[in-house]
Amino acid sequence: MTIQFKALPTEDVRALQRGGPDAYGHTPERSISDGDGVPCRHCLKNVAAGDAYLILAYRPFPELQPYAETGPIFLHAQECERADEAEALPDMLESSDYIVRGYGSGGVIPTTAIAARAEALFERHDIAYVHVRSARNNCYQCRIDRG
């Protein structure tokens, strides 16, 4: 089975970068990266030291439902290119442990097992998509779809 890691849609990100409201109706906060642990959910790369980034509330679900969690994410403050949909693990996921959740199941797994866990979840017919989340803070990282 093939899988695809997917970044946030560009049209959603551009609206936020231009000052549009986040999931709670607030303007995203702006900060400067120290170069450590600030993964942009659009280009799927870490924000470099000295670069501006946005902190905002995001709900990565198509509709409201009991499991539609909202949480903090980071984006480059300036426009960046959306990461291509790919089978390869994005650079920003190579540093620590993550939760791979197919909504209804999940657990903390090492980075090297992300793709295998996603493929195992997709063996279930009731799993439509998978999220990768930070094991430390439960923050949304990216979405995985069947290839």
Side-chain angles (χ1 to χ4, degrees):
M1 172 188 301
T2 61
I3 61 171
Q4 290 184 330
F5 290 88
K6 295 180 120 176
L8 295 184
T10 299
E11 58 274 10
D12 296 347
V13 170
R14 294 295 182 255
L16 292 160
Q17 289 169 327
R18 294 175 183 142
D22 69 6
Y24 293 141
H26 299 125
T27 300
E29 295 179 19
R30 190 177 177 94
S31 192
I32 302 297
S33 175
D34 63 4
D36 185 32
V38 183
C40 176
R41 277 38 171 221
H42 185 249
C43 65
L44 301 184
K45 296 178 183 174
N46 287 308
V47 178
D51 287 353
Y53 68 96
L54 303 176
I55 308 164
L56 58 116
Y58 186 74
R59 188 180 57 246
F61 296 87
E63 57 194 33
L64 289 176
Q65 39 93 358
Y67 295 102
E69 299 168 283
T70 302
I73 65 165
F74 306 122
L75 294 171
H76 278 100
Q78 301 301 317
E79 291 186 4
C80 58
E81 292 296 316
R82 183 176 190 257
D84 291 331
E85 294 178 10
E87 292 180 41
L89 191 72
D91 292 343
M92 72 177 208
L93 297 180
E94 293 181 349
S95 64
S96 60
D97 293 337
Y98 292 92
I99 297 167
V100 178
R101 185 179 294 162
Y103 288 85
S105 90
V108 178
I109 62 170
T111 297
T112 56
I114 289 174
R117 177 69 175 138
E119 289 175 359
L121 285 168
F122 283 133
E123 289 176 9
R124 292 181 39 186
H125 297 292
D126 61 330
I127 300 294
Y129 56 92
V130 172
H131 285 174
V132 179
R133 291 179 169 267
S134 162
R136 292 184 201 141
N137 304 311
N138 196 36
C139 299
Y140 173 82
Q141 302 294 313
C142 65
R143 176 175 163 148
I144 303 173
D145 286 330
R146 287 178 174 87

